[in-house]
Amino acid sequence: MMKFIKSKKLGYWFMVATAILSLLLFIIYIATYEPGQFGHGHTMPNSAASYATELVWIWALFAFLVQLAALAAPEHKWLEIVVIGCIGGALFVEIQLCPTVLAALGTGVAYEGGSLELHLTYLILILLALAIGVASCFMESIGEEEKEELKKTFAMPRLAGAAGLAGVLAIVGIVLSSSLGAAQSGPNNVIDPTASSEPAKNPFVIDLQKEFGDKVDASYTFDPTGVHFSKDSNEYSTKSTSEIQNAVGSSYTRDDANLVYCFEGAYAEGWQGDYSKHYAYLYLWDDGLYNGESNGTKIYGYWYDTEEGGEAGATLVMVDNRGRDNDMVCSVNTSKFYKWVTEVKSSLNNGRTIKAFGYYYYPVIGFYVDPGVDYVVVEKAEDIDDTITLGWTGMRVLNNYTVGSVFDAAANLTFGAVTDTDDANVKKVTATWKTYSWDTKIYIGSAPAAEAPAASTAEAA
């Protein structure tokens, strides 16, 4: 035994330490990580559902086994590189799992849950094993005399066995990493075992002209898409702050100008458990001015959407009377309803920004609810509960038949209780938004025949 110990150099004992740390990581992780139903539990943050959490202990186990092979054939230093690769695999997964948990160190708020102490333990063990494993690569593990003896003593069988074990483990690890990672690459890929296996129903379709044609205001002929300004062509680009503020005023209904764009946005900080929303609204007028508010503070300025010599409407800039740091440069938005998106500087917490989305303004003429299916059908009346409206979307209809979802529906859209109709097999839910209401019918047993009238009706209060 003493001869064995004396013949080993510092690098060998570093390899032993790497094996011990890998084994400790495997034992601690598999005993505490609580995968839960969808890949996460009390020790994991909610976002862990997007990742293959099992890969940490799998890679730790592989690192331990390959390290045993490396200790059995210490003259083959390349095996230590495989060990480092396995530990690196565990680190790659862990650094995706722990950021939201580690954020609690700075904020004091565990936004997504998870055990900070355990994730720090996992991370420290991984980093220690990785550092010691890398260091051992640059150290001699055995003396020259023992190297010569090992070459004469079953050198090929030991090399073949070690290489085979390392290769098999590496292949298995890569396959597991790919398969588990693909299976849990994001929340959208998680399979909910309670989900229905029925084929998808037809999406909700509405004839806007038939439903809202009589609500259209034919006298509103202003076309916001034809209004453009360059900075030089906007007469207010050379005006003072007070002149701009006096010209545009603080009212969002002006008799002397037409609205071109409306912006709306909300922001919830979530700091220290405060999830109250803060709002931003902007109103861009056809005289080149805008006004609005950000977190309750009134803001004013002028706007342009054309660089000199460039394409009309290719950009959108709002120059803020509060100074250049508050100017807003918009980005094109991919939504069919919202054309622009921008960041509005606010007074919240020393200058948080509120993301606001802009659309071409036309008067609102109606509102309807999109339940996501052609008809809402339940097997029996007892299946109707308060959750039936989850996933239903309130849609506003503008004077040009443009539709967009109701802004801040949680605060502005209300669903009433389920009520009876003249038909015992049909119930209805009335939704209200501003001065508008919409009835969505719920059919018990089966949907109506194809030739039946529309399943929903709208009313203006």
Side-chain angles (χ1 to χ4, degrees):
M1 174 62 76
M2 292 301 296
K3 181 180 178 182
F4 174 82
I5 295 174
K6 288 181 179 180
S7 66
K8 301 302 184 284
K9 298 199 175 212
L10 185 59
Y12 187 89
W13 302 114
F14 269 43
M15 292 163 65
V16 172
T18 302
I20 294 172
L21 288 170
S22 300
L23 181 59
L24 281 174
L25 174 63
F26 165 72
I27 294 172
I28 294 173
Y29 195 89
I30 201 170
T32 59
Y33 82 112
E34 294 181 3
Q37 185 179 6
F38 294 110
H40 62 88
H42 296 299
T43 64
M44 293 289 153
N46 294 334
S47 57
S50 303
Y51 306 102
T53 57
E54 295 86 354
L55 285 175
V56 175
W57 69 256
I58 290 173
W59 281 119
L61 178 60
F62 288 170
F64 172 69
L65 294 175
V66 177
Q67 189 66 82
L68 291 184
L71 289 170
E75 71 274 24
H76 299 294
K77 298 292 290 184
W78 60 269
L79 287 170
E80 198 63 22
I81 298 176
V82 180
V83 175
I84 293 170
C86 293
I87 300 171
L91 178 62
F92 176 76
V93 178
E94 181 58 27
I95 60 176
Q96 297 177 80
L97 298 176
C98 66
T100 54
V101 181
L102 293 177
L105 281 173
T107 64
V109 181
Y111 293 100
E112 294 195 35
S115 170
L116 175 62
E117 294 79 7
L118 280 174
H119 277 280
L120 286 175
T121 301
Y122 303 151
L123 198 57
I124 290 171
L125 285 172
I126 292 172
L127 292 176
L128 278 175
L130 187 62
I132 294 173
V134 170
S136 68
C137 291
F138 298 93
M139 299 178 179
E140 291 291 337
S141 54
I142 55 176
E144 292 297 328
E145 184 179 340
E146 186 172 357
K147 285 183 182 179
E148 292 299 323
E149 290 181 6
L150 289 173
K151 287 180 182 179
K152 300 173 184 178
T153 310
F154 306 109
M156 288 307 296
R158 285 190 306 101
L159 175 59
L165 175 62
V168 169
L169 291 176
I171 292 172
V172 172
I174 292 170
V175 171
L176 277 174
S177 178
S178 300
S179 60
L180 286 174
Q184 302 189 37
S185 59
N188 292 333
N189 292 330
V190 175
I191 298 175
D192 184 347
T194 64
S196 171
S197 59
E198 295 180 3
K201 299 178 181 179
N202 296 329
F204 178 76
V205 177
I206 185 171
D207 187 334
L208 293 172
Q209 190 166 7
K210 179 180 179 181
E211 189 70 46
F212 300 100
D214 61 339
K215 310 292 194 307
V216 172
D217 181 2
S219 66
Y220 190 85
T221 58
F222 175 70
D223 179 14
T225 65
V227 180
H228 302 288
F229 289 96
S230 67
K231 186 173 183 179
D232 291 339
S233 68
N234 190 322
E235 62 175 300
Y236 291 98
S237 63
T238 58
K239 302 291 186 182
S240 67
T241 295
S242 59
E243 288 176 310
I244 289 174
Q245 188 169 334
N246 290 333
V248 69
S250 58
S251 174
Y252 306 140
T253 55
R254 296 174 59 193
D255 295 330
D256 60 339
N258 293 299
L259 271 173
V260 179
Y261 289 110
C262 287
F263 280 76
E264 55 197 15
Y267 173 77
E269 179 77 355
W271 176 259
Q272 299 295 343
D274 178 13
Y275 291 92
S276 57
K277 289 185 177 179
H278 307 269
Y279 296 91
Y281 300 97
L282 299 169
Y283 302 90
L284 280 63
W285 305 91
D286 66 346
D287 58 358
L289 296 172
Y290 76 86
N291 56 6
E293 59 184 87
S294 173
N295 193 32
T297 300
K298 296 289 185 178
I299 54 180
Y300 310 87
Y302 69 90
W303 65 275
Y304 61 91
D305 65 345
T306 303
E307 297 288 355
E308 203 61 42
E311 179 185 354
T315 185
L316 180 59
V317 177
M318 285 168 277
V319 180
D320 196 297
N321 70 321
R322 295 173 294 171
R324 291 187 59 185
D325 290 343
N326 299 296
D327 291 350
M328 292 161 278
V329 179
C330 300
S331 301
V332 176
N333 195 59
T334 56
S335 164
K336 292 181 180 179
F337 182 70
Y338 292 112
K339 178 175 174 61
W340 301 105
V341 58
T342 191
E343 299 281 349
V344 184
K345 185 72 72 70
S346 77
S347 59
L348 176 66
N349 290 343
N350 297 317
R352 294 285 196 272
T353 59
I354 301 174
K355 192 180 293 295
F357 298 84
Y359 62 94
Y360 282 120
Y361 173 79
Y362 294 88
V364 174
I365 60 172
F367 155 79
Y368 68 91
V369 172
D370 179 357
V373 292
D374 51 357
Y375 294 103
V376 181
V377 181
V378 296
E379 291 186 5
K380 53 187 183 298
E382 291 75 15
D383 294 335
I384 304 174
D385 58 25
D386 293 340
T387 65
I388 197 164
T389 59
L390 294 178
W392 293 11
T393 305
M395 305 295 293
R396 51 188 151 170
V397 183
L398 306 188
N399 202 55
N400 65 338
Y401 294 123
T402 300
V403 296
S405 59
V406 170
F407 173 64
D408 196 20
N412 299 311
L413 176 61
T414 303
F415 290 102
V418 178
T419 57
D420 296 329
T421 67
D422 294 337
D423 188 336
N425 292 319
V426 179
K427 307 292 183 181
K428 70 176 182 178
V429 174
T430 301
T432 56
W433 173 69
K434 294 189 174 181
T435 61
Y436 303 96
S437 65
W438 179 271
D439 292 335
T440 299
K441 295 180 179 179
I442 304 170
Y443 296 88
I444 302 171
S446 61
E451 65 272 16
S456 302
T457 57
E459 298 178 359

